[in-house]
Structure formats: C-alpha cells, structure tokens
Amino acid sequence: MCHIAPVPAAPDVVVIGAGVVGAACAWHAARAGLRVTVVDRGPVASGTTGAGEGNILVSDKPAGPELELALLSARLWSDLAAELGGFEHHDKGGLVVAASESAHQNLLDTGLGQQAAGVTATPVAPDDLPGYEPHLAGDLAGGMYYPQDAQVQPMLAAARMLADARGHGGAELRTGVQVTGLLRDGERVVGVDTTSGSIPAAAVVNAAGTWGGQVAELAGVHLPVLPRRGFVLVTEPVPVLVRHKVYAAEYVSDVASADAGLHTSPVVEGTDAGPILIGSSRERVGFDRSMPAEILRTLAAAAVRLFPVLARVNVIRAYRGFRPYCPDHLPVIGPDPRAPGLWHACGHEGAGVCLAAATGHVIAASLAGRSTEVDLVPFRPERFG
Amino acid sequence: MSPPPPTFDFDGQAIPFRPGQSVGAALLAAGIRSWRTTRVGGRPRGMFCGIGVCFDCLVIVDGQPNQRACLVPARAETDVRRQEGSGHGNLS
C-alpha cells in the first residue's frame, strides 16, 4: 500500500519568518482572503520576537513616520486583543521619568511634538510620581505619562496570530524549513526554494527580522539590516511593584543613537506571571551571543536606582537578542521595485512587536493592491541606494 | 550514649538533621511534606525533583525567599520559614 499525499494548492503569498512581524503579515493577509504559507528555519518566535519585552510604545518615538505607524499599530493591537486575545495585552501606560532638570526639559519638549502628532502625553510633577508608581525613587525631577503605551507577551502574540490564520484563514505554517533561494521568472520573484523543496507563490514577504538582509541578498538586492544586541534581566516573581512601563528619559536618545558602542538606560516593567523585566542595552557587536556580567550588573544597578525596592529582589536569569537595525532607524516595509514580487517587512529594530500589527496591516493592503493607511515612502526598501 | 542530633528552626519547630543533609531532606525526614504555597492557587508544594532543577521546593532561608530546600545545606543556625506565594509579599 502506498500513501499519496494531496498536492497542496500553491499559496498566493509565502511569508519568510514566523516572528511577530511575519505572524502579523500572515494574519492580515489571510484576513484579506489570500492563501498564505509561513516558513521559518526555526520554531515560532525563535528570533528577536522571543528575546524582547513585548512593548507597544508611542512614548519613545518623536513625531515622524515611525510614530504614525506606531499609533496605527497601537490601535490595531487593541482590536486584535479584543478579537483574538490570549497574549497578555495590557493597556498599562508608560511613565518616562527624568533624573535631571535638563532631561526633564527634553522630555517636555519631545512631548509637545508628540502631542501635536496625536499622542496623549501628560506631564507628571515630582510630587505626583508616587501616585503612578509608589516604589519609584523619591529624587526625580519629573515625568511624562503616556496612556497609549501597552504591552503584550510577544511569543504568545505570534503564536496566537499564526494559530488563528491557520484555523480560520487556511494559512499553512512550516517550521524547521529554511529558505535557500528565491524562484525567479525573469526578474520577478515567484516563490522560494527551501530545504524541503520549492514553494511557488505570486508574492514573497521577507519578514526575517535581523536576518532580513540575508533574504534580500538571495534576491540580489541590498538591505543594510544589522544586529544591535540587547539584554533583558528577569527577576524572581514578586507582587505588583511596578505598574507601568517605566523608563528613564535618556532611553529615547539611546534608541536614536548611531553609535556602535555600548549604551544602557533603565527600562523596568512587570509581567502577568510576576517576574519584572529589566532592560535596556544597545551595542553593535555582530551576532556575538556572549553575556558580559558587567553589562548585566549595569542594568541591575540602574533599575535599583529607579526602584530601590528591587535591591531586595533576585535576578533569576537573563537573555539577549539582536534587534534588526537600519542606519536611519526606520523599518523596511513595502514592495521592492528592484525585485518585483518581493515585499519586505523587516528591520524594525527594537520596535518589532510594537509595529508588527500595523506592518501586517499595510503589507496585506499592499499585496492586495489596495492603498495603505500610512504612507510607505519613508520605509521603502530602495532608499539606501 | 550519643549526643542528640543538631537541629534547625522551622517556624518554631526544631528539625533534627545529619551533617551534610539538605534542609529539604531533613524536613521530609521529620514528616513535613509541604513548605510553600503556589502564587496563583495557593496550592501546597514541597520536594519534587530533589536535585535543584524544578524549583518546586522553594522556602525562606534566613529571610531570603525562593531558596531551594533540596540544595541548601542544613546548619544549626539556619532559620527556615514556610513561603507563601512569591515570598515577597512584604515588598508591596
């Protein structure tokens, strides 16, 4: 007796990458009625999605195209949480605090620009900070509260979107399958070659995150996506000590820096399960997976500076990840005119979870030939020359 | 006649131990099977893997919560307490 496997119909779209961005692209594309196959060389959320904190932030983005995308994304994440749920979405709000008067002034100036762009930003006087965070250090110069900031558990979010796209949208998920090349018809990209055979498709979406530049290379096009390493400390579970996402005003300038050297600024937030997550560090050291104790110590000390109570809480583990970094700190989103049939949805740096929902939304619209809700020109793949 | 074995204090109860024994082993030998509650459901927990892997046998040792009873060596001066939930209830 022999088994004859049914030959699956060719998908309309192959999405490369089962991280949160690929999952969102697949979910929205399936919603738009497209047949989708998602491939990833590892398991779901095995890259940068599984190495972050799950932030949906408008607070750390000055007015501009990325903020516009983040505002759309924050709305879409709320909608998705109501419709799908199961990924610990919290409208917890963000609290940015300044230790010095000059940092406080920068915070207020940034807030003005953000308010003009549609962000709700409320200045918080030093005396009012304990009302937001009772355990915060008592000697801060002031803060800014951002109610639109939210948090998700990113691995759950990716898994939930993929499961839903499979269940209701008929999408297919193939993990442990590595893309080794792109199928071409003339200059058109018409599918992928993989370690498990070829998959023809009308369109291919590069959602390979920090490895997006390597996928682009398979198409013979250049995308300067570089890894920017970051560490997260995980504490033992504690009662609710930190209510919002709390971070120092210096974080915003660290994010925007082009320097390859080490930058750290404290970012502290609680989780549903009890542990507190502590970031953040940024440095360009390639894909070096070592964990220098010095950096972990710096992060812990900075968190204790913001929340002295944490001196009595143990860190139980730490993890590291590689943010997909582009020189202009903007993601790469949209069709690539240099390789028709290839779309990019990568290079989101530390904002991949935040921007995933909007990225999936605009990619699905673009694939379907509809106009997108935000202008994709600032994110165009060919902008690097 | 041999001297009585050393003991450590467990919530006011003297627990005998042999030199080199872990806190968890001594508690089990004294007939105590549970010394903490879970964070969400308040369920009883004690020794499970016994080799430091599963983190089920957490206990407060000398004021430090989340110590693994199976790994902490018993000493006469050790102060051992039952742990409720995260053991950090006093922080909030």
Side-chain angles (χ1 to χ4, degrees):
Chain A
M1 178 173 161
C2 68
H3 295 275
I4 299 171
V7 178
D12 298 308
V13 187
V14 167
V15 176
I16 304 171
V20 70
V21 172
C25 290
W27 192 84
H28 282 284
R31 274 299 151 111
L34 298 171
R35 281 166 304 161
V36 183
T37 294
V38 180
V39 295
D40 196 300
R41 62 182 172 188
V44 170
S46 54
T48 311
T49 297
E53 297 152 300
N55 291 317
I56 298 163
L57 301 183
V58 297
S59 57
D60 69 338
K61 297 172 183 65
E66 194 189 11
L67 178 60
E68 199 188 336
L69 196 64
L71 282 164
L72 170 63
S73 217
R75 270 206 321 277
L76 291 169
W77 272 118
S78 290
D79 294 348
L80 193 70
E83 187 178 338
L84 201 58
F87 50 85
E88 301 180 11
H89 180 270
H90 283 291
D91 291 312
K92 56 164 49 178
L95 183 67
V96 187
V97 295
S100 67
E101 272 311 324
S102 64
H104 189 208
Q105 195 51 52
N106 288 342
L107 191 55
L108 294 172
D109 293 344
T110 306
L112 283 179
Q114 292 170 320
Q115 285 164 344
V119 172
T120 307
T122 312
V124 183
D127 290 352
D128 295 331
L129 285 172
Y132 286 84
E133 290 292 343
H135 293 284
L136 205 52
D139 58 351
L140 297 165
M144 188 78 87
Y145 175 60
Y146 293 88
Q148 287 151 308
D149 282 358
Q151 188 180 6
V152 297
Q153 211 285 13
M155 291 169 275
L156 281 177
R160 289 287 293 150
M161 285 190 282
L162 288 169
D164 191 64
R166 290 170 80 190
H168 297 99
E172 190 188 9
L173 170 65
R174 297 180 65 184
T175 53
V177 173
Q178 179 160 1
V179 170
T180 53
L182 297 175
L183 306 177
R184 301 303 279 260
D185 178 7
E187 63 168 5
R188 269 201 85 74
V189 173
V190 292
V192 296
D193 254 327
T194 79
T195 46
S196 296
S198 61
I199 311 171
V204 173
V205 177
N206 169 17
T210 315
W211 300 269
Q214 295 168 25
V215 170
E217 223 166 88
L218 295 177
V221 296
H222 175 63
L223 274 193
V225 183
L226 297 169
R228 199 175 187 194
R229 187 169 73 174
F231 293 97
V232 176
L233 308 182
V234 184
T235 74
E236 58 192 344
V238 289
V240 178
L241 298 178
V242 180
R243 300 174 182 179
H244 305 89
K245 180 195 174 72
V246 181
Y247 62 93
E250 292 74 20
Y251 175 80
V252 178
S253 55
D254 272 8
V255 170
S257 161
D259 187 2
L262 175 68
H263 289 253
T264 64
S265 50
V267 179
V268 183
E269 64 212 293
T271 61
D272 262 15
I276 287 174
L277 305 180
I278 296 167
S280 66
S281 65
R282 291 178 162 66
E283 58 192 321
R284 275 168 46 205
V285 289
F287 286 102
D288 178 357
R289 294 182 59 81
S290 65
M291 297 191 87
E294 187 56 35
I295 297 176
L296 307 186
R297 215 175 283 128
T298 304
L299 294 180
V304 169
R305 165 75 183 84
L306 274 191
F307 288 95
V309 67
L310 293 179
R312 291 152 68 193
V313 177
N314 284 311
V315 168
I316 55 172
R317 66 188 182 91
Y319 53 84
R320 109 285 286 141
F322 300 95
R323 305 174 184 90
Y325 160 87
C326 290
D328 59 3
H329 299 283
L330 291 176
V332 182
I333 304 171
D336 195 327
R338 301 165 299 178
L342 178 65
W343 272 253
H344 298 285
C346 62
H348 294 73
E349 198 166 343
V353 176
C354 170
L355 301 175
T359 301
H361 192 263
V362 298
I363 286 286
S366 175
L367 286 168
R370 289 184 276 111
S371 66
T372 57
E373 215 161 303
V374 294
D375 180 12
L376 295 185
V377 167
F379 311 121
R380 67 195 186 283
E382 70 278 22
R383 67 183 189 267
F384 305 103
Chain B
M1 193 177 147
S2 59
T7 64
F8 64 84
D9 188 276
F10 174 66
D11 285 342
Q13 183 181 348
I15 306 293
F17 66 91
R18 292 200 309 271
Q21 206 169 20
S22 70
V23 163
L27 288 171
L28 277 182
I32 297 165
R33 296 177 58 205
S34 163
W35 48 82
R36 80 163 174 106
T37 56
T38 59
R39 302 198 303 280
V40 179
R43 304 280 301 154
R45 288 291 185 276
M47 194 84 87
F48 182 63
C49 79
I51 54 171
V53 174
C54 76
F55 286 70
D56 237 15
C57 65
L58 300 178
V59 70
I60 300 174
V61 177
D62 295 332
Q64 272 288 329
N66 296 324
Q67 304 304 301
R68 285 164 285 179
C70 67
L71 294 188
V72 177
R75 290 187 313 272
E77 62 273 23
T78 308
D79 177 55
V80 181
R81 308 271 167 128
R82 283 178 198 278
Q83 178 171 329
E84 303 290 332
S86 71
H88 277 299
N90 58 328
L91 293 184
S92 63

